[in-house]
Amino acid sequence: MVQQAKLAVVCLILTLALMAQISEAANGGIATYWGQYSDETEGTLGEACATKLYSYINIASIAQFGDGNDLVLNLAGHCTPPDCTHIGEQIKTCQVLHGVKIFISLGGENGNYNLTSPEDAKHVADQLWDSYLGGTYSTATLPFGDAVLDGVDFDLVGSNTKYDADLAYYLKAINQQGIKPVYLSAAPQCPYPDYYLQNALDTGLFDYVWVQFYDNSPCEYSNVTGTAGLLSAWNTWTSKLKGSGKLFLGVPASIDAASTGYIPADVLNNEILPLIKATPKYGGIMVWNRYYDRLSNYSFAIIDFVKLKNNQQLPTMRMYQYE
């Protein structure tokens, strides 16, 4: 009887895991960036997850890395390391209770970062592993306590080097020693190929690629040019992106979130999403960023249109019954 109950529990766990995989494969999701404002203006990470709007949240950001330097986490008005362990509790709640994948984002526009060699890339990968991804180095700095993040986001807009690719390889190699997979994401600009990230993307190792279709006039939506340039660039990324990663259309959450490229929700829902959801690498939408999204409710307006692919339904899953 005990053995049957154990077997039933194992079957239930496997079924739930399979359902989660099928759900992610069949549905689009929304990603966003969080971390560069304050609890009062942006809300906490836990509050962002509790909205159930997001499938992926990038914590921004590690503003310094490489060249032999220590990692420096900058979370603006939220906390100053080492006093960020309360965010670790929020990370665990986001992952376990809300099913949100949490990434630590590298770089940003105002960071101090550079990779000088393959050895330097290996050192940064080891630092990330020990501090954020479940490493076992006993004296490592743990800004989020014992929380284990799901992956690393490359938002490298100031470092054009082949060693970004080395960093991706070393991070993926951690999969073989970690307690769970290490996912990689990246945020290139929509003109293809991306000036800063193309070497890394060409490894084919990235699981999620949120392309920034804003502040880039040749390939963004505008009231004048409409959707043509955007859709052309999307198709280029779909055909050129190596590996099995999913593509996300990066959009501003409001007209104030970017200089150009804002897409009204009704245009996104009715004119763009029906077309890009039909492409094989479609993964969803990246909304920049949580601060503006909280003000505008943009994700709330688009989430039902982002989710389910055209004419696709999830299979019915059998739920195990046991005594």
Side-chain angles (χ1 to χ4, degrees):
M1 188 68 174
V2 173
Q3 187 64 28
Q4 289 178 339
K6 288 182 178 179
L7 179 60
V9 170
V10 171
C11 290
L12 178 60
I13 291 172
L14 292 174
T15 300
L16 292 174
L18 178 60
M19 289 179 68
Q21 292 173 355
I22 292 173
S23 178
E24 182 173 354
N27 285 274
I30 296 178
T32 196
Y33 283 78
W34 174 93
Q36 286 304 293
Y37 295 87
S38 67
D39 287 353
E40 290 73 24
T41 58
E42 185 177 34
T44 67
L45 178 65
E47 289 169 347
C49 293
T51 65
K52 299 193 181 299
L53 293 170
Y54 310 111
S55 299
Y56 319 89
I57 295 181
N58 300 291
I59 296 179
S61 61
I62 294 180
Q64 174 181 291
F65 63 89
D67 202 14
N69 293 313
D70 292 334
L71 303 181
V72 174
L73 176 67
N74 177 1
L75 290 185
H78 291 289
C79 66
T80 301
D83 299 322
C84 296
T85 54
H86 64 287
I87 293 180
E89 296 305 312
Q90 296 176 41
I91 290 170
K92 288 185 281 187
T93 298
C94 289
Q95 293 168 322
V96 175
L97 187 60
H98 302 297
V100 180
K101 286 185 174 66
I102 305 294
F103 293 73
I104 188 69
S105 186
L106 302 177
E109 291 185 357
N110 301 313
N112 174 30
Y113 51 92
N114 187 35
L115 297 172
T116 59
S117 67
E119 292 76 19
D120 191 29
K122 174 66 163 59
H123 179 61
V124 173
D126 289 340
Q127 289 175 307
L128 291 167
W129 156 243
D130 288 324
S131 293
Y132 296 97
L133 302 172
T136 56
Y137 187 55
S138 60
T139 62
T141 301
L142 302 174
F144 300 139
D146 62 355
V148 178
L149 278 69
D150 295 288
V152 178
D153 175 63
F154 285 43
D155 185 20
L156 308 182
V157 293
S159 174
N160 177 243
T161 168
K162 63 183 179 181
Y163 305 123
D164 300 345
D166 290 274
L167 180 58
Y169 279 118
Y170 287 126
L171 285 169
K172 272 298 185 182
I174 291 172
N175 279 330
Q176 299 178 14
Q177 53 182 307
I179 60 175
K180 63 181 184 180
V182 175
Y183 296 99
L184 296 183
S185 65
Q189 309 293 310
C190 58
Y192 187 92
D194 184 78
Y195 179 75
Y196 293 108
L197 284 167
Q198 201 59 49
N199 284 324
L201 291 171
D202 282 345
T203 65
L205 295 174
F206 285 79
D207 303 282
Y208 309 102
V209 180
W210 6 88
V211 184
Q212 299 179 44
F213 281 83
Y214 51 89
D215 293 335
N216 285 291
S217 57
C219 47
E220 67 186 18
Y221 170 84
S222 78
N223 292 330
V224 177
T225 60
T227 63
L230 181 151
L231 293 173
S232 176
W234 175 269
N235 288 334
T236 297
W237 276 99
T238 295
S239 63
K240 299 288 189 179
L241 183 66
K242 295 183 179 180
S244 57
K246 292 296 183 181
L247 276 173
F248 289 67
L249 184 80
V251 300
S254 75
I255 198 169
D256 298 318
S259 298
T260 57
Y262 173 69
I263 307 173
D266 62 326
V267 174
L268 181 67
N269 292 340
N270 298 316
E271 299 181 31
I272 297 174
L273 278 170
L275 297 177
I276 68 172
K277 286 198 295 185
T279 57
K281 288 187 177 292
Y282 170 77
I285 299 293
M286 185 274 282
V287 173
W288 176 263
N289 53 36
R290 172 58 185 161
Y291 168 76
Y292 289 103
D293 201 23
R294 191 178 187 222
L295 294 174
S296 67
N297 286 320
Y298 191 84
S299 288
F300 182 80
I302 67 172
I303 188 167
D304 288 338
F305 295 84
V306 170
K307 279 186 173 182
L308 198 60
K309 291 186 179 180
N310 299 342
N311 302 318
Q312 184 173 9
Q313 294 183 352
L314 298 179
T316 301
M317 298 298 299
R318 176 187 173 190
M319 296 302 295
Y320 287 87
Q321 302 290 329
Y322 58 92
E323 298 178 358

